[in-house]
Amino acid sequence: MYLKYFYDRHLAQASYMVGCQASGEAAIIDPSRNINVYLETARREGYTLTKAFETHIHADFVSGVTELARRTGATIYHSTEGADNGGYELPSSLPTHGLKGGETIILGNVQIKAIHTAGHTPEHMSFELTDGAAADKPIGVFTGDFVFVGDVGRPDLLEKSAGVKNSTENGARQMFRSLKAFKNYEDYIQIWPGHGAGSACGKSLGAVPTSTVGYEKLYNPAFQFEEEEAFLSFLLEGQTEPPAYFTKMKQVNPTGMTPLSDVNPGVEMERKAEDMARLAASRSAVVIDTRNAFDYANRHLPGTINLPFPDVFAEWMGRLADYEKDIYIIADPPQFQEIRSVLSSMGMDRLKGLFSLSALSKTEAPRSYTNELPKEVAKRDIPVLDVRYDHEWNESHIPGAEHVPLPQLPETELHLPGNKVAVHCASGKRSAVAASILLNKGYEVINVTGGFHQWKKENLPVT
Protein backbone atom coordinates (compact mmCIF):
# COMPACT_ATOMS: atom_id res chain seq x y z
CA MET A 1 0.00 0.00 0.00
CA TYR A 2 1.07 3.56 -0.74
CA LEU A 3 -0.02 6.56 1.36
CA LYS A 4 0.90 10.19 0.63
CA TYR A 5 -0.01 13.34 2.62
CA PHE A 6 -0.60 16.73 0.94
CA TYR A 7 -1.09 20.00 2.80
CA ASP A 8 -2.24 23.45 1.71
CA ARG A 9 -0.67 25.79 4.26
CA HIS A 10 -2.80 28.75 3.18
CA LEU A 11 -6.14 27.06 3.94
CA ALA A 12 -4.78 24.51 6.45
CA GLN A 13 -6.30 21.76 4.31
CA ALA A 14 -5.05 18.18 4.12
CA SER A 15 -5.66 15.65 1.37
CA TYR A 16 -4.31 12.14 0.82
CA MET A 17 -3.35 9.72 -1.94
CA VAL A 18 -3.87 5.99 -1.32
CA GLY A 19 -2.50 3.48 -3.80
CA CYS A 20 -2.26 -0.25 -4.32
CA GLN A 21 1.24 -1.11 -5.48
CA ALA A 22 0.08 -4.41 -6.94
CA SER A 23 -2.67 -3.06 -9.20
CA GLY A 24 -1.22 0.43 -9.82
CA GLU A 25 -4.53 2.10 -8.87
CA ALA A 26 -4.73 5.15 -6.64
CA ALA A 27 -7.40 7.30 -5.00
CA ILE A 28 -7.42 10.85 -3.61
CA ILE A 29 -9.23 11.67 -0.36
CA ASP A 30 -10.69 15.21 -0.28
CA PRO A 31 -8.75 16.61 -3.26
CA SER A 32 -8.30 20.36 -3.60
CA ARG A 33 -9.23 22.14 -6.82
CA ASN A 34 -5.62 22.53 -7.96
CA ILE A 35 -5.02 18.89 -8.81
CA ASN A 36 -1.65 19.12 -10.58
CA VAL A 37 0.21 17.99 -7.45
CA TYR A 38 -1.80 14.73 -7.47
CA LEU A 39 -1.27 14.18 -11.20
CA GLU A 40 2.47 14.75 -10.87
CA THR A 41 2.77 12.42 -7.86
CA ALA A 42 0.76 9.68 -9.57
CA ARG A 43 2.86 9.96 -12.71
CA ARG A 44 6.11 9.90 -10.75
CA GLU A 45 5.08 6.91 -8.60
CA GLY A 46 3.50 4.97 -11.46
CA TYR A 47 -0.17 5.10 -10.41
CA THR A 48 -3.40 5.62 -12.33
CA LEU A 49 -5.90 7.80 -10.47
CA THR A 50 -9.21 5.92 -10.62
CA LYS A 51 -11.13 7.19 -7.58
CA ALA A 52 -11.81 10.44 -5.70
CA PHE A 53 -13.40 10.28 -2.23
CA GLU A 54 -15.20 13.20 -0.60
CA THR A 55 -15.84 13.20 3.16
CA HIS A 56 -18.55 15.91 3.01
CA ILE A 57 -19.74 19.09 1.30
CA HIS A 58 -16.84 21.37 2.14
CA ALA A 59 -17.26 24.95 3.34
CA ASP A 60 -13.66 26.14 3.35
CA PHE A 61 -12.21 25.27 -0.06
CA VAL A 62 -13.32 24.38 -3.56
CA SER A 63 -13.46 20.61 -3.82
CA GLY A 64 -11.36 19.09 -6.58
CA VAL A 65 -13.42 15.94 -7.17
CA THR A 66 -15.08 17.26 -10.32
CA GLU A 67 -11.80 18.65 -11.67
CA LEU A 68 -10.14 15.28 -11.04
CA ALA A 69 -13.00 13.35 -12.64
CA ARG A 70 -12.99 15.56 -15.75
CA ARG A 71 -9.26 15.28 -16.31
CA THR A 72 -8.61 11.66 -15.33
CA GLY A 73 -11.95 9.85 -15.55
CA ALA A 74 -11.76 9.00 -11.83
CA THR A 75 -15.05 8.01 -10.20
CA ILE A 76 -16.33 10.41 -7.51
CA TYR A 77 -17.39 8.63 -4.30
CA HIS A 78 -19.63 10.82 -2.14
CA SER A 79 -22.08 10.47 0.72
CA THR A 80 -25.79 9.98 0.14
CA GLU A 81 -26.48 10.17 3.88
CA GLY A 82 -27.85 13.29 5.61
CA ALA A 83 -30.47 14.40 3.12
CA ASP A 84 -31.20 17.52 5.24
CA ASN A 85 -27.98 19.04 3.86
CA GLY A 86 -29.41 19.01 0.34
CA GLY A 87 -27.04 16.38 -1.01
CA TYR A 88 -24.90 16.43 -4.12
CA GLU A 89 -26.07 17.34 -7.62
CA LEU A 90 -22.93 16.47 -9.55
CA PRO A 91 -22.98 16.64 -13.37
CA SER A 92 -24.48 13.50 -14.94
CA SER A 93 -21.60 13.48 -17.41
CA LEU A 94 -19.16 12.57 -14.64
CA PRO A 95 -18.71 9.08 -13.15
CA THR A 96 -20.14 9.11 -9.61
CA HIS A 97 -20.96 6.59 -6.90
CA GLY A 98 -23.18 7.46 -3.93
CA LEU A 99 -22.14 5.90 -0.63
CA LYS A 100 -24.06 4.74 2.42
CA GLY A 101 -22.36 4.05 5.73
CA GLY A 102 -20.82 0.57 5.87
CA GLU A 103 -20.11 0.24 2.15
CA THR A 104 -16.60 -0.92 1.21
CA ILE A 105 -14.79 0.12 -1.97
CA ILE A 106 -11.96 -2.03 -3.32
CA LEU A 107 -8.79 -0.46 -4.68
CA GLY A 108 -6.67 -3.43 -5.71
CA ASN A 109 -5.66 -5.01 -2.38
CA VAL A 110 -6.69 -1.90 -0.45
CA GLN A 111 -10.11 -1.60 1.18
CA ILE A 112 -11.78 1.76 1.89
CA LYS A 113 -14.88 1.53 4.08
CA ALA A 114 -17.37 4.41 4.41
CA ILE A 115 -18.28 5.26 8.02
CA HIS A 116 -21.16 7.71 8.50
CA THR A 117 -19.89 10.23 11.07
CA ALA A 118 -22.55 12.94 11.17
CA GLY A 119 -22.01 16.06 13.24
CA HIS A 120 -19.91 18.58 11.39
CA THR A 121 -22.43 18.05 8.60
CA PRO A 122 -25.32 15.54 8.40
CA GLU A 123 -23.82 13.67 5.44
CA HIS A 124 -20.24 13.48 6.72
CA MET A 125 -18.35 10.27 5.93
CA SER A 126 -15.06 9.09 7.37
CA PHE A 127 -13.11 6.44 5.47
CA GLU A 128 -11.58 3.44 7.19
CA LEU A 129 -8.44 2.13 5.45
CA THR A 130 -7.29 -1.50 5.43
CA ASP A 131 -4.17 -2.76 3.68
CA GLY A 132 -5.60 -6.08 2.54
CA ALA A 133 -2.24 -7.37 1.32
CA ALA A 134 -0.78 -7.19 4.82
CA ALA A 135 -3.62 -7.20 7.36
CA ASP A 136 -7.28 -7.98 7.93
CA LYS A 137 -7.79 -5.06 10.34
CA PRO A 138 -7.82 -1.33 9.55
CA ILE A 139 -4.68 0.74 9.93
CA GLY A 140 -6.43 4.10 10.25
CA VAL A 141 -9.30 6.42 9.38
CA PHE A 142 -9.49 9.49 7.15
CA THR A 143 -11.65 11.59 9.44
CA GLY A 144 -12.19 14.67 7.26
CA ASP A 145 -13.78 17.37 9.44
CA PHE A 146 -15.08 14.90 12.03
CA VAL A 147 -12.06 14.38 14.31
CA PHE A 148 -9.01 16.62 14.26
CA VAL A 149 -5.87 16.48 16.36
CA GLY A 150 -7.05 17.92 19.68
CA ASP A 151 -10.47 18.99 18.40
CA VAL A 152 -13.61 17.98 16.51
CA GLY A 153 -15.54 19.64 13.69
CA ARG A 154 -17.83 22.52 14.51
CA PRO A 155 -21.53 21.81 13.87
CA ASP A 156 -22.70 25.39 13.26
CA LEU A 157 -21.38 26.07 9.74
CA LEU A 158 -24.40 24.59 8.00
CA GLU A 159 -26.63 27.12 9.73
CA LYS A 160 -24.28 30.12 9.67
CA SER A 161 -22.89 29.69 6.16
CA ALA A 162 -25.60 27.81 4.28
CA GLY A 163 -28.66 29.14 6.12
CA VAL A 164 -30.06 25.75 7.19
CA LYS A 165 -32.14 26.79 10.19
CA ASN A 166 -31.93 24.97 13.53
CA SER A 167 -29.18 22.65 12.25
CA THR A 168 -26.56 23.65 14.83
CA GLU A 169 -27.98 21.84 17.86
CA ASN A 170 -28.94 18.81 15.79
CA GLY A 171 -25.40 18.65 14.42
CA ALA A 172 -23.93 18.86 17.91
CA ARG A 173 -26.10 15.94 19.07
CA GLN A 174 -25.10 13.95 15.99
CA MET A 175 -21.46 14.69 16.80
CA PHE A 176 -21.89 13.33 20.34
CA ARG A 177 -23.30 10.06 19.00
CA SER A 178 -20.65 9.78 16.28
CA LEU A 179 -17.85 10.28 18.81
CA LYS A 180 -19.35 7.69 21.12
CA ALA A 181 -19.22 5.13 18.29
CA PHE A 182 -15.74 6.25 17.22
CA LYS A 183 -14.35 5.52 20.69
CA ASN A 184 -14.93 1.82 20.01
CA TYR A 185 -11.95 1.76 17.67
CA GLU A 186 -8.76 0.22 19.00
CA ASP A 187 -6.26 2.72 20.39
CA TYR A 188 -3.67 1.95 17.72
CA ILE A 189 -5.90 3.18 14.87
CA GLN A 190 -4.34 6.18 13.15
CA ILE A 191 -6.30 9.39 12.54
CA TRP A 192 -5.72 11.35 9.32
CA PRO A 193 -7.73 14.59 9.59
CA GLY A 194 -8.82 16.99 6.87
CA HIS A 195 -7.37 20.10 8.50
CA GLY A 196 -4.60 21.39 10.72
CA ALA A 197 -4.03 24.42 12.93
CA GLY A 198 -5.47 27.62 11.49
CA SER A 199 -8.60 26.11 9.99
CA ALA A 200 -11.92 27.76 10.85
CA CYS A 201 -13.65 24.34 10.83
CA GLY A 202 -12.91 23.88 14.53
CA LYS A 203 -12.02 25.90 17.63
CA SER A 204 -8.50 24.81 18.50
CA LEU A 205 -6.99 22.39 16.00
CA GLY A 206 -3.56 21.02 16.78
CA ALA A 207 -0.54 21.65 14.57
CA VAL A 208 0.53 17.97 14.56
CA PRO A 209 -0.62 16.43 11.25
CA THR A 210 -1.80 13.02 12.52
CA SER A 211 -2.80 11.26 15.72
CA THR A 212 -4.26 8.00 17.01
CA VAL A 213 -7.60 7.09 18.54
CA GLY A 214 -5.87 6.24 21.83
CA TYR A 215 -4.12 9.59 22.07
CA GLU A 216 -7.30 11.54 21.30
CA LYS A 217 -9.20 9.53 23.92
CA LEU A 218 -6.66 10.72 26.48
CA TYR A 219 -6.13 14.33 25.48
CA ASN A 220 -8.81 15.61 23.10
CA PRO A 221 -11.23 17.70 25.23
CA ALA A 222 -14.22 16.65 23.11
CA PHE A 223 -13.60 12.98 23.96
CA GLN A 224 -13.91 13.54 27.71
CA PHE A 225 -17.70 14.00 27.92
CA GLU A 226 -20.12 11.26 28.87
CA GLU A 227 -23.19 13.51 29.23
CA GLU A 228 -24.72 14.86 26.02
CA GLU A 229 -25.88 18.24 27.39
CA ALA A 230 -22.46 19.03 28.84
CA PHE A 231 -20.88 18.11 25.51
CA LEU A 232 -23.27 20.43 23.66
CA SER A 233 -22.34 23.35 25.91
CA PHE A 234 -18.66 22.68 25.35
CA LEU A 235 -18.91 22.26 21.59
CA LEU A 236 -21.09 25.28 20.85
CA GLU A 237 -19.37 27.74 23.17
CA GLY A 238 -16.78 30.08 21.66
CA GLN A 239 -17.31 29.28 17.97
CA THR A 240 -16.26 32.35 15.97
CA GLU A 241 -18.06 33.78 12.97
CA PRO A 242 -17.11 31.78 9.86
CA PRO A 243 -15.37 33.54 6.96
CA ALA A 244 -17.69 35.09 4.38
CA TYR A 245 -16.42 32.87 1.56
CA PHE A 246 -17.75 29.75 3.32
CA THR A 247 -21.21 30.63 2.00
CA LYS A 248 -19.93 30.54 -1.58
CA MET A 249 -18.20 27.20 -1.01
CA LYS A 250 -21.42 25.66 0.29
CA GLN A 251 -23.12 26.85 -2.89
CA VAL A 252 -20.59 25.55 -5.43
CA ASN A 253 -19.36 22.29 -3.92
CA PRO A 254 -22.58 20.23 -4.20
CA THR A 255 -22.45 20.64 -7.99
CA GLY A 256 -18.77 21.29 -8.68
CA MET A 257 -17.19 24.54 -9.82
CA THR A 258 -16.16 25.81 -13.25
CA PRO A 259 -13.38 23.71 -14.84
CA LEU A 260 -10.02 25.42 -14.40
CA SER A 261 -9.48 25.24 -18.16
CA ASP A 262 -12.33 27.75 -18.49
CA VAL A 263 -10.95 30.19 -15.90
CA ASN A 264 -8.83 33.19 -16.89
CA PRO A 265 -5.66 32.99 -14.75
CA GLY A 266 -5.19 36.79 -14.68
CA VAL A 267 -2.95 38.87 -16.92
CA GLU A 268 0.49 39.94 -15.71
CA MET A 269 0.43 43.73 -15.99
CA GLU A 270 3.90 44.67 -14.79
CA ARG A 271 4.34 47.68 -17.13
CA LYS A 272 0.91 49.22 -16.72
CA ALA A 273 1.26 51.28 -13.55
CA GLU A 274 -1.23 53.84 -14.83
CA ASP A 275 -3.87 51.08 -15.08
CA MET A 276 -3.23 50.05 -11.48
CA ALA A 277 -3.64 53.63 -10.24
CA ARG A 278 -6.83 54.12 -12.28
CA LEU A 279 -8.42 50.89 -11.04
CA ALA A 280 -7.59 51.58 -7.40
CA ALA A 281 -8.87 55.13 -7.57
CA SER A 282 -12.13 54.24 -9.30
CA ARG A 283 -12.97 51.38 -6.92
CA SER A 284 -14.55 49.52 -9.81
CA ALA A 285 -12.59 46.47 -8.67
CA VAL A 286 -10.81 45.17 -5.58
CA VAL A 287 -7.09 45.99 -5.71
CA ILE A 288 -5.03 44.10 -3.12
CA ASP A 289 -1.55 45.24 -2.08
CA THR A 290 0.27 42.18 -0.71
CA ARG A 291 3.29 43.95 0.83
CA ASN A 292 3.95 43.81 4.54
CA ALA A 293 2.11 46.31 6.74
CA PHE A 294 5.24 48.40 7.43
CA ASP A 295 5.92 49.05 3.75
CA TYR A 296 2.27 49.76 3.05
CA ALA A 297 2.11 52.23 5.95
CA ASN A 298 5.00 54.20 4.49
CA ARG A 299 3.71 54.42 0.94
CA HIS A 300 0.58 53.14 -0.73
CA LEU A 301 -1.70 53.54 -3.70
CA PRO A 302 -5.05 55.14 -2.72
CA GLY A 303 -8.00 52.77 -2.97
CA THR A 304 -6.03 49.57 -2.31
CA ILE A 305 -6.50 47.12 0.57
CA ASN A 306 -3.44 45.77 2.35
CA LEU A 307 -3.44 41.96 2.78
CA PRO A 308 0.18 40.86 3.30
CA PHE A 309 1.13 37.65 1.48
CA PRO A 310 1.39 35.00 2.72
CA ASP A 311 0.86 36.22 6.28
CA VAL A 312 -2.87 37.07 6.37
CA PHE A 313 -3.68 36.98 2.67
CA ALA A 314 -5.80 33.81 2.43
CA GLU A 315 -7.61 34.36 5.72
CA TRP A 316 -8.69 37.90 4.94
CA MET A 317 -9.41 37.39 1.27
CA GLY A 318 -11.85 34.82 2.61
CA ARG A 319 -13.28 36.93 5.42
CA LEU A 320 -13.66 40.02 3.22
CA ALA A 321 -14.82 37.99 0.23
CA ASP A 322 -16.57 39.87 -2.58
CA TYR A 323 -17.43 37.57 -5.48
CA GLU A 324 -19.16 40.35 -7.40
CA LYS A 325 -16.04 42.41 -8.19
CA ASP A 326 -12.98 41.85 -10.35
CA ILE A 327 -9.72 41.29 -8.47
CA TYR A 328 -6.30 42.82 -9.13
CA ILE A 329 -3.20 41.93 -7.15
CA ILE A 330 -0.01 43.92 -6.45
CA ALA A 331 2.74 41.43 -5.58
CA ASP A 332 6.25 40.20 -6.18
CA PRO A 333 6.20 38.28 -9.52
CA PRO A 334 7.66 35.05 -8.03
CA GLN A 335 4.52 34.93 -5.86
CA PHE A 336 2.06 35.29 -8.74
CA GLN A 337 1.42 31.57 -9.31
CA GLU A 338 0.98 30.78 -5.63
CA ILE A 339 -1.47 33.67 -5.28
CA ARG A 340 -3.41 32.38 -8.28
CA SER A 341 -3.61 28.98 -6.60
CA VAL A 342 -4.90 30.45 -3.32
CA LEU A 343 -7.62 32.44 -5.05
CA SER A 344 -8.60 29.44 -7.16
CA SER A 345 -8.91 27.29 -4.02
CA MET A 346 -11.46 29.77 -2.66
CA GLY A 347 -13.36 30.03 -5.93
CA MET A 348 -12.26 33.60 -6.59
CA ASP A 349 -12.19 33.26 -10.36
CA ARG A 350 -12.53 36.96 -11.18
CA LEU A 351 -8.78 37.57 -10.98
CA LYS A 352 -8.14 39.92 -13.88
CA GLY A 353 -4.60 41.15 -13.42
CA LEU A 354 -1.39 40.98 -11.40
CA PHE A 355 0.88 44.01 -11.06
CA SER A 356 4.53 43.82 -10.12
CA LEU A 357 5.63 45.69 -7.00
CA SER A 358 8.03 47.60 -9.23
CA ALA A 359 5.01 49.34 -10.77
CA LEU A 360 4.49 51.18 -7.46
CA SER A 361 7.70 53.11 -8.05
CA LYS A 362 6.14 54.57 -11.20
CA THR A 363 3.12 56.00 -9.39
CA GLU A 364 2.63 58.90 -7.04
CA ALA A 365 1.78 57.08 -3.82
CA PRO A 366 1.32 59.15 -0.63
CA ARG A 367 2.08 58.11 2.93
CA SER A 368 -0.60 55.77 4.20
CA TYR A 369 -1.00 55.79 7.98
CA THR A 370 1.03 56.17 11.16
CA ASN A 371 1.76 53.72 13.95
CA GLU A 372 1.66 54.89 17.56
CA LEU A 373 2.11 53.15 20.89
CA PRO A 374 -0.97 52.84 23.13
CA LYS A 375 0.36 55.31 25.71
CA GLU A 376 0.66 57.96 23.01
CA VAL A 377 -2.86 57.28 21.72
CA ALA A 378 -4.27 57.41 25.27
CA LYS A 379 -2.92 60.95 25.73
CA ARG A 380 -4.83 62.25 22.73
CA ASP A 381 -8.49 63.11 22.32
CA ILE A 382 -9.08 60.83 19.35
CA PRO A 383 -11.82 58.26 18.61
CA VAL A 384 -10.74 54.64 19.01
CA LEU A 385 -12.11 51.86 16.79
CA ASP A 386 -11.86 48.23 17.95
CA VAL A 387 -12.01 45.73 15.03
CA ARG A 388 -11.75 42.52 17.09
CA TYR A 389 -14.47 39.87 17.12
CA ASP A 390 -17.55 40.11 19.35
CA HIS A 391 -16.31 37.61 21.93
CA GLU A 392 -13.04 39.54 22.34
CA TRP A 393 -14.90 42.83 22.75
CA ASN A 394 -17.33 41.34 25.27
CA GLU A 395 -14.48 40.04 27.41
CA SER A 396 -12.84 43.48 27.77
CA HIS A 397 -12.25 46.62 25.73
CA ILE A 398 -11.08 50.23 25.84
CA PRO A 399 -13.65 52.53 27.51
CA GLY A 400 -15.47 54.69 24.98
CA ALA A 401 -14.16 52.80 21.94
CA GLU A 402 -16.37 52.07 18.95
CA HIS A 403 -16.63 48.42 17.91
CA VAL A 404 -16.94 47.03 14.37
CA PRO A 405 -15.52 43.53 13.70
CA LEU A 406 -13.13 43.68 10.77
CA PRO A 407 -15.22 41.47 8.42
CA GLN A 408 -18.07 44.00 8.73
CA LEU A 409 -15.92 47.12 8.33
CA PRO A 410 -16.03 47.53 4.52
CA GLU A 411 -19.84 47.72 4.46
CA THR A 412 -20.32 49.63 7.75
CA GLU A 413 -21.03 53.36 7.76
CA LEU A 414 -19.09 54.80 10.69
CA HIS A 415 -20.29 57.76 12.74
CA LEU A 416 -17.08 58.98 14.31
CA PRO A 417 -16.44 62.61 15.27
CA GLY A 418 -14.02 64.18 12.83
CA ASN A 419 -11.94 62.35 10.23
CA LYS A 420 -9.19 60.97 12.45
CA VAL A 421 -9.33 57.54 14.12
CA ALA A 422 -7.04 55.21 16.06
CA VAL A 423 -7.72 51.57 15.17
CA HIS A 424 -6.68 48.46 17.06
CA CYS A 425 -7.18 44.70 17.22
CA ALA A 426 -5.55 42.20 19.58
CA SER A 427 -1.96 42.37 18.31
CA GLY A 428 -1.84 44.61 15.23
CA LYS A 429 -2.37 42.32 12.21
CA ARG A 430 -6.10 42.87 11.76
CA SER A 431 -5.84 46.58 12.51
CA ALA A 432 -3.28 46.98 9.71
CA VAL A 433 -5.84 45.52 7.30
CA ALA A 434 -8.50 47.76 8.84
CA ALA A 435 -6.27 50.81 8.42
CA SER A 436 -6.20 50.35 4.64
CA ILE A 437 -10.01 50.04 4.58
CA LEU A 438 -10.43 53.16 6.74
CA LEU A 439 -8.16 55.12 4.43
CA ASN A 440 -10.51 54.28 1.58
CA LYS A 441 -13.35 55.66 3.68
CA GLY A 442 -11.52 58.99 3.91
CA TYR A 443 -10.13 58.78 7.45
CA GLU A 444 -6.73 59.85 8.74
CA VAL A 445 -5.62 56.68 10.51
CA ILE A 446 -3.40 55.76 13.43
CA ASN A 447 -2.69 52.05 13.90
CA VAL A 448 -2.24 51.24 17.60
CA THR A 449 1.09 49.40 17.83
CA GLY A 450 0.81 46.05 19.61
CA GLY A 451 -2.97 46.33 19.77
CA PHE A 452 -5.08 45.55 22.82
CA HIS A 453 -2.41 43.22 24.23
CA GLN A 454 0.05 46.11 24.40
CA TRP A 455 -2.65 48.45 25.73
CA LYS A 456 -3.21 46.15 28.71
CA LYS A 457 0.51 45.56 29.16
CA GLU A 458 0.96 49.32 29.63
CA ASN A 459 -1.78 49.26 32.32
CA LEU A 460 -4.06 51.61 30.41
CA PRO A 461 -7.80 51.67 31.23
CA VAL A 462 -10.01 48.75 30.12
CA THR A 463 -13.58 47.83 30.90
Side-chain angles (χ1 to χ4, degrees):
M1 185 183 75
Y2 175 85
L3 179 60
K4 173 73 174 177
Y5 171 78
F6 303 90
Y7 194 70
D8 180 346
R9 64 189 179 108
H10 298 285
L11 300 183
Q13 183 251 333
S15 54
Y16 303 84
M17 178 184 288
V18 179
C20 173
Q21 293 164 319
S23 68
E25 301 172 76
I28 307 296
I29 314 296
D30 283 340
S32 65
R33 189 184 190 191
N34 300 292
I35 67 169
N36 285 343
V37 65
Y38 312 126
L39 301 180
E40 292 166 3
T41 301
R43 184 164 48 248
R44 183 178 63 249
E45 301 295 333
Y47 289 105
T48 300
L49 295 176
T50 62
K51 296 173 175 58
F53 288 84
E54 182 123 282
T55 55
H56 65 295
I57 299 173
H58 300 285
D60 55 325
F61 68 98
V62 177
S63 169
V65 291
T66 54
E67 187 74 18
L68 199 66
R70 288 189 188 101
R71 292 173 61 182
T72 69
T75 299
I76 299 170
Y77 290 85
H78 63 87
S79 174
T80 56
E81 302 277 7
D84 47 341
N85 197 12
Y88 287 88
E89 297 180 7
L90 296 167
S92 59
S93 59
L94 298 179
T96 62
H97 182 108
L99 290 169
K100 290 289 187 181
E103 186 172 351
T104 298
I105 304 301
I106 303 301
L107 185 76
N109 292 323
V110 175
Q111 301 168 27
I112 299 175
K113 183 178 181 181
I115 309 295
H116 186 209
T117 49
H120 177 66
T121 61
E123 82 285 356
H124 194 287
M125 286 287 188
S126 295
F127 294 107
E128 178 186 291
L129 179 66
T130 301
D131 181 6
D136 58 0
K137 293 183 178 180
I139 181 175
V141 181
F142 299 103
T143 54
D145 288 20
F146 167 45
V147 174
F148 302 122
V149 178
D151 203 357
V152 294
R154 56 190 294 182
D156 59 323
L157 293 181
L158 192 57
E159 185 161 352
K160 291 179 178 177
S161 296
V164 181
K165 293 183 179 180
N166 304 317
S167 59
T168 297
E169 182 179 334
N170 186 46
R173 295 188 186 280
Q174 289 175 331
M175 179 66 76
F176 181 79
R177 294 191 292 270
S178 294
L179 282 175
K180 186 175 181 180
F182 191 76
K183 291 177 186 178
N184 292 325
Y185 274 114
E186 297 288 344
D187 287 355
Y188 72 84
I189 294 292
Q190 296 181 57
I191 292 173
W192 302 303
H195 294 289
S199 170
C201 288
K203 288 192 291 188
S204 54
L205 282 70
V208 178
T210 65
S211 185
T212 64
V213 171
Y215 190 87
E216 296 306 305
K217 285 180 184 177
L218 288 173
Y219 299 112
N220 189 323
F223 277 69
Q224 310 311 312
F225 293 88
E226 297 298 331
E227 296 296 328
E228 185 169 334
E229 296 305 319
F231 174 79
L232 262 62
S233 298
F234 159 80
L235 187 60
L236 299 180
E237 181 181 357
Q239 297 287 5
T240 60
E241 282 300 308
Y245 84 102
F246 277 22
T247 298
K248 180 72 171 181
M249 301 299 92
K250 279 294 189 181
Q251 292 170 354
V252 302
N253 279 331
T255 58
M257 200 157 181
T258 306
L260 286 177
S261 58
D262 295 340
V263 176
N264 188 328
V267 179
E268 296 187 15
M269 308 173 75
E270 183 176 356
R271 294 177 179 168
K272 296 183 179 180
E274 66 278 5
D275 291 341
M276 177 173 62
R278 174 179 52 80
L279 286 164
S282 70
R283 302 182 189 178
S284 61
V286 178
V287 183
I288 306 297
D289 187 328
T290 63
R291 293 175 300 155
N292 64 66
F294 177 82
D295 288 344
Y296 185 91
N298 284 327
R299 191 170 183 271
H300 82 292
L301 197 65
T304 58
I305 296 176
N306 182 214
L307 301 181
F309 184 86
D311 192 14
V312 301
F313 180 81
E315 177 183 1
W316 286 102
M317 280 300 296
R319 291 192 179 275
L320 301 173
D322 187 341
Y323 286 88
E324 303 305 315
K325 289 186 177 181
D326 292 339
I327 300 170
Y328 292 85
I329 301 292
I330 304 170
D332 193 13
Q335 298 174 330
F336 282 176
Q337 191 53 44
E338 192 172 3
I339 288 171
R340 286 186 177 108
S341 179
V342 172
L343 296 177
S344 171
S345 294
M346 295 190 289
M348 297 183 178
D349 289 353
R350 295 187 64 164
L351 174 63
K352 299 300 182 182
L354 301 106
F355 294 94
S356 169
L357 291 177
S358 62
L360 281 175
S361 63
K362 305 170 187 176
T363 64
E364 295 183 7
R367 183 174 179 81
S368 180
Y369 61 84
T370 58
N371 294 282
E372 291 188 16
L373 289 167
K375 61 183 178 183
E376 298 300 323
V377 173
K379 293 177 184 177
R380 303 172 62 178
D381 183 18
I382 181 172
V384 174
L385 178 66
D386 185 335
V387 296
R388 296 175 302 156
Y389 295 119
D390 287 339
H391 72 277
E392 296 172 286
W393 165 268
N394 292 334
E395 185 175 310
S396 59
H397 55 267
I398 297 171
E402 295 291 326
H403 176 232
V404 180
L406 178 53
Q408 301 172 23
L409 186 59
E411 305 303 323
T412 299
E413 183 179 351
L414 302 175
H415 300 283
L416 300 172
N419 71 333
K420 184 177 290 188
V421 61
V423 61
H424 80 86
C425 60
S427 63
K429 286 188 176 182
R430 283 173 287 178
S431 60
V433 176
S436 64
I437 296 171
L438 289 166
L439 289 166
N440 295 335
K441 290 178 177 285
Y443 287 94
E444 182 180 339
V445 183
I446 296 169
N447 185 23
V448 181
T449 304
F452 194 62
H453 292 330
Q454 186 63 30
W455 184 280
K456 291 194 296 183
K457 188 177 292 185
E458 295 181 7
N459 295 315
L460 295 169
V462 299
T463 185

